[in-house]
Structures are given as structure tokens and as C-alpha cells.
Amino acid sequence: MPNEEILTIALSKGRIFEQAMPLLQAAGIRALDDPEHSRKLILDTDDVRVKLVIIRASDVPTYVQYGAADLGVAGKDVLLEHGGDGLYEPLDLRIARCRLMVAGKPGSGLDTCIDGQGRRRLRIATKYVACAERYFAAKGQQVEIIKLYGSMELAPLVGLADLIVDLVESGNTLKANGLVPLERICDISSRLVVNKASWKMKHDHITHLLAALRDAVEHPDTDQPMPS
Ligand code: ATP
Ligand code: MG
């Protein structure tokens, strides 16, 4: 591989950065700055041929699709919404795991939405419009989807929606707002994504990194001391 060839990896701060760093470290890549304490959006690493760009989680597929980053780490939720055009998805990193679920007030089943006039369409509030549409269409259920950008749990409490579609990890956020999980749509984890042109042009470099990451995913903590 050419000596001057740079690989750019896009990732978001917070849980994805925190959980991806041990894997990248096992693959020999350490960030020289902490995005939680730095305003830099481009971070150098101790490998001069690898840089990190820190962006919104939902922007990662776009950066990688257009080749602004060669690789990226993105949640399956974000990839399902984006559609995955222009991307390879060669590795499940098994981090930032959670479930995409339908949730609502206790007892608010999927057919309880009947008013004086008879049945009306269920209203579903979500940031995951494409996933929600696909899920209810597959069940043959006509619903009205309301796009929100966050705090979905509020929607059923103030009568904006009957149900929400959101990510659930422990269920504590739902519980704190008097909601319960009702149906699981799919399991979510973060994936390594690769720009299709980069895959060809920087093949050796990417293959090498991919193998190291796969090894780190399959053999977690091999460099940690064994508990006595
Ligand atoms: P933004 O803050 O830019 O709107 P976001 O809220 O989706 O983005 P994060 O909360 O950091 O950003 O989530 C990033 C990714 O982590 C999500 O796309 C999802 O794959 C995963 N994730 C989100 N919430 C959870 C959760 N509660 N448990 C585990 N993983 C989660
Ligand atoms: Mg969030």
C-alpha cells in the first residue's frame, strides 16, 4: 500500500466512540484527542495513516457514501433509515447494542385505537420513519407516521401519538415515562461501513484494518489480564 495513503474513519461521539475505541485500539489505532473534551472534528491518531472524523451518528452513512470518509461506524438503525446506497457493510462490531421496538402506554395494543366513529389509524411517533413504515406495512396495518427528532417518549403522554417506535436498551427511559415495550422490530448493533470506491482503491489498507477489527470483535479482551 502507498506510504502516504490516508484512511479516514467517520464516527459519532458518545457511546459509539467509547465502544469503538477499544476495538480500534486492538487494531493498533489510538485517537490523540478525546472528542468529549476537544472541539476538533478531525482527530489524528498514533497511526499517521489513519484519521478520525467526528460527526452526527445519522450523518455517518452520508459521509461514507460520498467518500468524504473511507470507513465509518454506524448503528444498524441509522443504516436501515439511510438505505445503505454506496456502502459495504462487512462487519458487525457488536457494540451499542439495543432493540428497535414499538412502545406505548400499558394496554395500548395495536388494535385498541377505536373512537366513536369506529376504527381510526394508529398514530406512530418516531425518528425511524422508514423502519416504522416497513414494519407496519409488512403487518398489513395502515398507520399514520409522525416524524420526530428526539424525546419520542413524550408523544403518547401528550396525545401526539398512540405509539412510538424507538431504540430500547434497558427499558428504563420507557419506564420512567410510564411506557412499556410492546413489540420488537429488530435487534440493533453498530456496523463497520466502507465506501465502495475506497474498498477498491485502498484495498490492502482496508483489508488489513478489517481483519484486525474482526479479530478484536471475535476475541474481546484478549490483552486484558485474566481475573484471578
Ligand atoms: P443524535 O444525537 O445525533 O441525534 P443519536 O441520538 O442517534 O444521534 P446516540 O444516542 O449517540 O446518537 O446513538 C448513536 C447510536 O447508538 C444509535 O444510532 C444506535 O445505533 C445506538 N444507540 C442509541 N441509543 C441506544 C441505547 N439506548 N442503547 C444502545 N445503543 C443505542
Ligand atoms: Mg441519542
Side-chain angles (χ1 to χ4, degrees):
M1 61 190 92
N3 250 349
E4 68 285 4
E5 183 185 276
I6 304 277
L7 277 188
T8 302
I9 307 174
L11 66 182
S12 50
K13 52 184 179 180
R15 55 166 63 80
I16 290 198
F17 185 87
E18 281 154 25
Q19 296 181 34
M21 276 334 278
L23 297 174
L24 285 170
Q25 252 177 54
I29 297 164
R30 240 173 264 260
L32 297 184
D33 275 296
D34 176 353
E36 300 301 337
H37 298 116
S38 161
R39 288 165 190 240
K40 280 192 199 169
L41 300 176
I42 303 179
L43 305 186
D44 290 323
T45 71
D46 58 356
D47 180 338
V48 292
R49 298 177 318 134
V50 178
K51 292 194 190 304
L52 309 179
V53 294
I54 307 300
I55 56 182
R56 289 286 291 261
S58 44
D59 288 335
V60 168
T62 308
Y63 273 69
V64 177
Q65 171 184 10
Y66 286 96
D70 301 297
L71 303 119
V73 176
K76 186 67 184 174
D77 51 315
V78 165
L79 294 170
L80 288 168
E81 284 297 303
H82 172 269
D85 277 2
L87 307 176
Y88 293 123
E89 191 191 307
L91 183 62
D92 183 348
L93 296 168
R94 300 185 201 160
I95 58 170
R97 295 170 87 154
C98 52
R99 295 171 305 284
L100 187 65
M101 303 215 50
V102 183
K105 292 192 201 161
S108 59
L110 284 158
D111 46 19
T112 56
C113 196
I114 299 170
D115 58 17
Q117 277 70 33
R119 276 186 106 178
R120 68 170 172 86
R121 283 190 194 189
L122 282 171
R123 273 208 232 132
I124 316 287
T126 188
K127 176 167 148 186
Y128 302 100
V129 170
C131 290
E133 274 172 0
R134 226 174 295 147
Y135 179 71
F136 288 103
K139 284 163 59 94
Q141 193 159 11
Q142 295 233 341
V143 297
E144 185 183 341
I145 310 260
I146 299 177
K147 165 89 187 185
L148 292 178
Y149 293 87
S151 304
M152 266 78 80
E153 299 83 9
L154 184 59
L157 306 180
V158 296
L160 177 61
D162 302 294
L163 302 169
I164 62 172
V165 167
D166 198 7
L167 299 177
V168 179
E169 188 181 19
S170 63
N172 286 340
T173 308
L174 290 179
K175 201 169 169 190
N177 291 290
L179 303 179
V180 291
L182 297 168
E183 293 187 9
R184 172 160 63 179
I185 299 178
C186 61
D187 289 330
I188 299 292
S189 57
S190 291
R191 312 301 166 96
L192 185 75
V193 290
V194 183
N195 172 269
K196 287 188 175 172
S198 302
W199 181 265
K200 288 202 197 89
M201 305 291 292
K202 303 182 180 178
H203 191 259
D204 288 355
H205 203 169
I206 290 175
T207 309
H208 193 255
L209 176 56
L210 178 59
L213 285 173
R214 179 168 284 131
D215 194 56
V217 171
E218 285 169 7
H219 307 100
D221 300 322
T222 40
D223 55 358
Q224 302 291 314
M226 294 292 283
S228 49

